[in-house]
Amino acid sequence: MKKTLLIAVLCSFFLVGCGKQNEYEEAMREYATTFYNNYQKGSEGLDIPTISIKQLKEANEAIGANFDLSRLEKCSDESYVELIIDENSKDVKDVKFFLQCD
């Protein structure tokens, strides 16, 4: 009985931790894709665009973008994503995450 309880507690702790990371990744995927589509898509020489939380903050301040960065408040400004772009359509194909979050 104690082993089962211990395993259940460990599994739920692991799932809660992973859930938070997925929330950060979901927010960054959404914001970075929007940022790319609105401000970078079509730029020449942009093979693998990177978008950081710092860039998103600057976009909010400088050009009035409306990214709700409260979803990422536990992540450092240096956290970023790399966007994998389809060569033909120039659409976002995939996202690689480099997040530093508590």
Side-chain angles (χ1 to χ4, degrees), residues 19-34:
K20 209 48 161 160
Q21 186 67 22
N22 288 339
E23 288 177 33
Y24 300 140
E25 289 179 1
E26 180 182 315
M28 276 302 287
R29 177 185 307 274
E30 176 186 336
Y31 298 157
T33 301
T34 299

Side-chain angles (χ1 to χ4, degrees), residues 20-21 24-25 28 53 71-76 79 98-102:
K20 209 48 161 160
Q21 186 67 22
Y24 300 140
E25 289 179 1
M28 276 302 287
I53 292 175
R71 294 171 65 186
L72 299 166
E73 66 188 2
K74 296 198 180 219
C75 301
S76 75
S79 295
F98 300 91
L99 303 179
Q100 301 167 7
C101 306
D102 292 336

